[in-house]
Amino acid sequence: MPEVDETDHRLLRSLREDGRRTYSEMAKEVGLSVAAVKRRVDRMREIGVITGFTAQIDHAKLGWGIEAFTEMRFTGTTGVREIVQTATQLPEVQAVFTIAGDPDALMHLRVRDISHLQQIIDKLRRSGTVTGTKTLMVLGSWTRD
Amino acid sequence: MPEVDETDHRLLRSLREDGRRTYSEMAKEVGLSVAAVKRRVDRMREIGVITGFTAQIDHAKLGWGIEAFTEMRFTGTTGVREIVQTATQLPEVQAVFTIAGDPDALMHLRVRDISHLQQIIDKLRRSGTVTGTKTLMVLGSWTRD
DNA sequence: AATGAAATTACGCTGCG
DNA sequence: CGCAGCGTAATTTCATT
């Protein structure tokens, strides 16, 4: 569906590195005019290749220093929608991945400290049809870009 | 340590929702002048609360439709640095989390298709001192914002 | 120390060729 | 796609509390 050529990919890479980069900067990078770059970026937003822009935050500096992944298992009758809805209401849940096989879901959590983590896991366990959890504590992380 | 007040938090929320939001928009939101908003955002970048800005991409629309998490275990002699360095050289690796306990690391992967996934897992397994892997295939995901 | 207003520069945006 | 023109935003400076 989307025709995204090599120039578009270069623009994407540039915007992933710095989402506030100006069109004139990118125009120099790819050797096009400012207007052409804007049209390409606008188009990629329209077709949904670019879904948005966001600020990257150092959560540890805001006092949310603990990061964890929790694997969750549910009863056979539990639907995906319920899983996600339960989790999204907790601000500590950064992301929910539904999984093929075992476990049923993987949740990315951010909390202030260990007792906070325990509290959130307890909430998740109590919320409905959870049959088991296993939590992986993150010691360090690296993310592309 | 960063003093981040309630106004700063409102600006952070605003910029996480839309990283290209203008200072004048945010100024209206928080009831300050454009200059004051810019100073606050600049300051949060300086102290490292805001680490950058980035474009959000729909990788499926670019043909990278498969997402997975791979848990990895290593020999006792393997250092964290080696683990991360191995992974970061593969463009398919989106993120690496080193973990307390079992497993030793969790890798977030994006690939074009299943055979591509197999190929990457093979590469990871062969690269050094891996003693075991377990891969969780992502069926669906939800991310805050 | 942080703010607002004013002035300058740069950028975003649109229409036309 | 490039060019050109106009409007808007970013950025710096200065003055104020």
Side-chain angles (χ1 to χ4, degrees):
Chain A
M1 189 86 171
E3 326 158 22
V4 178
D5 66 13
E6 180 50 34
T7 302
D8 290 327
H9 274 101
R10 290 174 68 190
L11 295 174
L12 285 176
R13 255 178 270 135
S14 186
L15 282 173
R16 281 197 65 180
E17 280 175 22
D18 179 3
R20 295 199 74 138
R21 199 157 273 164
T22 62
Y23 295 130
S24 38
E25 283 180 284
M26 291 186 280
K28 283 174 206 155
E29 286 174 13
V30 301
L32 287 177
S33 71
V34 171
V37 170
K38 173 175 161 40
R39 280 189 288 260
R40 281 169 177 267
V41 173
D42 285 347
R43 181 175 156 277
M44 286 194 282
R45 298 194 68 165
E46 271 167 28
I47 64 180
V49 167
I50 296 174
T51 59
F53 295 90
T54 191
Q56 297 167 304
I57 308 294
D58 183 341
H59 293 86
K61 288 225 167 88
L62 295 174
W64 291 60
I66 307 278
E67 197 175 353
F69 284 90
T70 297
E71 302 178 0
M72 304 191 70
R73 290 164 190 77
F74 301 90
T75 60
T77 58
T78 311
V80 172
R81 183 154 296 161
E82 301 163 64
I83 297 176
V84 173
Q85 243 176 350
T86 299
T88 58
Q89 292 174 12
L90 300 176
E92 292 85 356
V93 176
Q94 298 300 303
V96 179
F97 303 91
T98 52
I99 299 292
D102 175 53
D104 298 306
L106 183 66
M107 303 213 177
H108 183 203
L109 308 179
R110 270 188 214 283
V111 291
R112 286 185 293 271
D113 50 46
I114 297 293
S115 70
H116 188 193
L117 176 61
Q118 186 166 41
Q119 181 187 326
I120 296 307
I121 293 173
D122 281 355
K123 272 194 192 169
L124 288 170
R125 291 182 61 92
R126 276 199 301 268
S127 67
T129 54
V130 176
T131 60
T133 68
K134 173 184 174 179
T135 295
L136 313 181
M137 296 277 304
V138 174
L139 296 177
S141 66
W142 169 89
T143 305
R144 188 166 298 282
D145 298 345
Chain B
M1 302 282 271
E3 326 158 23
V4 178
D5 66 15
E6 180 52 34
T7 302
D8 290 327
H9 274 102
R10 290 173 68 190
L11 295 174
L12 284 176
R13 272 194 296 274
S14 187
L15 281 173
R16 281 198 63 179
E17 279 175 21
D18 179 3
R20 295 201 75 141
R21 198 157 274 165
T22 62
Y23 295 130
S24 36
E25 282 180 285
M26 291 186 281
K28 283 173 205 156
E29 286 174 12
V30 302
L32 287 176
S33 70
V34 171
V37 170
K38 173 175 163 42
R39 277 189 289 263
R40 279 170 179 268
V41 173
D42 285 348
R43 180 174 157 279
M44 287 194 282
R45 298 194 69 165
E46 271 167 27
I47 65 181
V49 167
I50 296 174
T51 59
F53 294 90
T54 191
Q56 298 166 304
I57 308 293
D58 183 340
H59 293 85
K61 288 226 167 88
L62 294 174
W64 292 59
I66 306 278
E67 198 175 351
F69 285 90
T70 296
E71 302 177 359
M72 304 191 72
R73 290 163 191 78
F74 301 89
T75 60
T77 58
T78 311
V80 172
R81 181 154 297 159
E82 300 162 65
I83 297 175
V84 174
Q85 243 176 350
T86 299
T88 58
Q89 291 174 10
L90 300 176
E92 292 84 357
V93 177
Q94 298 298 304
V96 179
F97 303 91
T98 52
I99 300 292
D102 176 51
D104 298 306
L106 184 67
M107 303 211 176
H108 184 202
L109 308 180
R110 268 187 216 284
V111 291
R112 287 184 294 270
D113 50 46
I114 298 293
S115 71
H116 187 194
L117 177 61
Q118 187 167 40
Q119 179 188 328
I120 296 307
I121 293 173
D122 281 355
K123 272 194 192 169
L124 287 170
R125 291 181 61 92
R126 276 199 301 269
S127 67
T129 55
V130 176
T131 60
T133 67
K134 172 184 175 180
T135 295
L136 313 180
M137 295 276 303
V138 173
L139 296 177
S141 66
W142 169 90
T143 305
R144 190 165 296 283
D145 299 344

